[in-house]
Amino acid sequence: AGRAARRARTPHGGAGAAAMQRIVNNVLSKYFTLFIKDFTPDQFELNFMRGTGALHDLELHEDVMQELLMIPTTLLVTKVTCDNLQLKIPMYFRTNPLSLELDNVTVHLEEPDKVPPPPNKLSALSAGDQREAKTYTPAQLRKAKERMDILRNLSVFVTNLTLMLTTKSNRNTVIRLNVHNAHSRSVNRRWQDVELSQARDVHDDGTETAYKLMTIESISISVTDPRKNIDVYLADNLPASYRSWGTMRSIDGEYLSSHHEFSFTNLHFSWNQARYKLLTDFFTSIGACLSRDIPANEEASADIQEAREMLDVSYKFKIGTWSIVLEDEKPDWAKVVEETGEAVEKLRMRIDALEAEKAGLRERAMRKHAADQAAAA
């Protein structure tokens, strides 16, 4: 019995590992095809003995990322790239999650001239899975849920994520959001890292609740004007966290509720007048962009629309402490000298003009005086 127990916990070994490898490869190939442009299953072969699999120089499908990131189509995802993708298998893969590492992900967002309807590829895929699940036997449902849990329990590391945003009101200004070292993983209800078997609560009514925590080492927001070669940071190196939890049916994994909470422990800003103006312009342009009407997706099926209407969703934004410091403007002495020189030159030209005007008046007065004397004689 002891030897059997040791064999069961042997990393990456045995017939169970081979079966698990087939399941993981099939699941990941299906979803990589959905997300990655020009992907074919033979590009990616996860080897459980090596414990890794990797892809490089990727371009992702814009509409799928638009839906995945839940970005309204008033801001359109126009391009998504990723330098490196690596999947790592833990030593004990049945109790610990697979790790997906992404390096240098860049998302380009642009306000469109005409707002398109929201994409529904992921929703259609989910709805199709739900329809198919209704025909499954209990054993098939368990296997389908096991496959889905592979994705839900993924531990995702993103070393650098950059969102570059341009709005219609100011095409020449690029708003850049940089996220450094973000880590998303399954946790328990106390937001603690635990084995996968403890990362969800099972309820008596046939439902279960799963919890996800993302810790972010730093977020920076800057505004760039390429014409003026200006790069102004509105926020720099702000740590943050993101929590989400949702309740699903245990039998097929369909979500009944989904809740999201984004929080900053400390939020401190230090702006001068120029930065503050950029910030107000930023919120004004974003507000105008997000207030535009989004047309309905007429291709969405009735079950997709019903699922969206029935899903209980909530969002929260929390800040522990915050402060804003408005700095006094420090003079740019080079600019002051330049502007002073220009002012002096303008003043000199004005004085020259006044002197010329004065000389002209004097000359005219002398001619008039001479004319008057000649007339009197």
Side-chain angles (χ1 to χ4, degrees):
R3 287 192 298 272
R6 284 193 294 273
R7 281 197 302 271
R9 289 183 58 83
T10 299
H12 310 157
M20 189 67 175
Q21 178 170 334
R22 286 194 299 272
I23 293 173
V24 172
N25 273 322
N26 290 339
V27 170
L28 293 178
S29 293
K30 174 182 177 181
Y31 280 89
F32 283 169
T33 302
L34 181 67
F35 283 96
I36 301 172
K37 289 185 177 181
D38 303 321
F39 176 82
T40 55
D42 59 348
Q43 290 177 269
F44 185 87
E45 182 66 29
L46 186 62
N47 190 309
F48 266 44
M49 298 305 293
R50 291 199 309 268
T52 60
L55 293 168
H56 308 285
D57 299 324
L58 307 175
E59 190 167 345
L60 309 183
H61 288 291
E62 295 84 2
D63 53 350
V64 176
M65 295 305 297
Q66 181 102 32
E67 189 176 2
L68 177 69
L69 298 174
M70 295 184 290
I71 299 173
T73 51
T74 49
L75 286 173
L76 207 59
V77 176
T78 58
K79 187 175 182 180
V80 186
T81 59
C82 175
D83 286 357
N84 298 293
L85 177 154
Q86 187 172 39
L87 195 72
K88 293 184 177 180
I89 307 165
M91 183 171 291
Y92 301 106
F93 53 80
R94 293 189 181 276
T95 56
N96 296 291
L98 278 69
S99 296
L100 181 65
E101 298 183 5
L102 304 172
D103 185 35
N104 293 333
V105 180
T106 304
V107 182
H108 295 262
L109 299 165
E110 184 174 326
E111 183 179 0
D113 294 325
K114 182 179 179 181
V115 179
N120 69 332
K121 279 189 177 180
L122 294 178
S123 301
L125 179 65
S126 177
D129 289 343
Q130 297 299 332
R131 285 193 297 270
E132 186 177 350
K134 293 178 181 178
T135 66
Y136 285 173
T137 65
Q140 288 174 318
L141 278 175
R142 283 194 300 272
K143 289 183 178 179
K145 190 169 181 295
E146 183 182 37
R147 291 193 297 268
M148 186 56 64
D149 282 345
I150 293 171
L151 294 174
R152 288 181 176 146
N153 291 326
L154 268 178
S155 178
V156 181
F157 295 83
V158 182
T159 54
N160 291 290
L161 168 65
T162 302
L163 277 76
M164 303 177 66
L165 187 153
T166 304
T167 60
K168 282 184 65 177
S169 59
N170 198 342
R171 293 289 193 193
N172 294 311
T173 299
V174 178
I175 301 161
R176 186 189 302 264
L177 186 146
N178 291 98
V179 177
H180 182 61
N181 285 346
H183 178 203
S184 174
R185 68 273 193 191
S186 296
V187 293
N188 64 12
R189 64 184 306 169
R190 296 182 179 86
W191 310 106
Q192 299 168 329
D193 293 308
V194 292
E195 288 190 352
L196 294 181
S197 60
Q198 304 172 36
R200 61 182 61 191
D201 296 336
V202 180
H203 311 296
D204 294 335
D205 61 355
T207 63
E208 52 192 75
T209 303
Y211 305 87
K212 280 283 188 180
L213 172 65
M214 177 185 289
T215 52
I216 301 170
E217 184 176 310
S218 69
I219 295 178
S220 299
I221 303 172
S222 62
V223 177
T224 302
D225 190 335
R227 299 173 307 168
K228 301 177 182 178
N229 197 26
I230 295 175
D231 195 357
V232 178
Y233 278 88
L234 304 178
D236 195 19
N237 294 324
L238 299 175
S241 66
Y242 166 73
R243 296 176 174 182
S244 67
W245 61 100
T247 300
M248 69 192 84
R249 288 201 300 252
S250 297
I251 189 171
D252 57 8
E254 181 177 359
Y255 272 98
L256 307 174
S257 67
S258 179
H259 306 283
H260 310 268
E261 180 182 287
F262 196 90
S263 63
F264 290 95
T265 304
N266 299 294
L267 200 57
H268 300 293
F269 299 107
S270 181
W271 300 319
N272 56 24
Q273 188 174 357
R275 289 178 180 176
Y276 183 74
K277 184 179 184 305
L278 279 172
L279 182 69
T280 56
D281 291 345
F282 164 70
F283 280 115
T284 299
S285 62
I286 291 296
C289 172
L290 296 179
S291 64
R292 298 174 67 187
D293 292 333
I294 300 176
N297 191 328
E298 298 179 356
E299 297 179 359
S301 60
D303 49 356
I304 293 177
Q305 298 287 2
E306 182 182 359
R308 288 175 177 170
E309 293 171 1
M310 295 296 292
L311 184 65
D312 176 24
V313 182
S314 69
Y315 298 91
K316 287 183 180 179
F317 187 84
K318 295 175 63 177
I319 300 175
T321 60
W322 64 276
S323 66
I324 297 177
V325 177
L326 295 178
E327 302 171 347
D328 291 333
E329 292 284 357
K330 295 181 180 180
D332 183 344
W333 292 114
K335 189 173 182 180
V336 169
V337 170
E338 180 183 350
E339 291 177 348
T340 302
E342 291 175 354
V344 169
E345 179 64 19
K346 288 179 181 179
L347 181 59
R348 187 188 64 78
M349 293 173 64
R350 179 60 178 160
I351 291 173
D352 289 346
L354 289 172
E355 288 291 343
E357 185 179 351
K358 183 180 178 181
L361 290 172
R362 186 184 300 112
E363 185 179 348
R364 286 195 297 272
M366 290 176 65
R367 284 199 300 266
K368 184 176 184 301
H369 179 69
D372 289 344
Q373 283 183 335

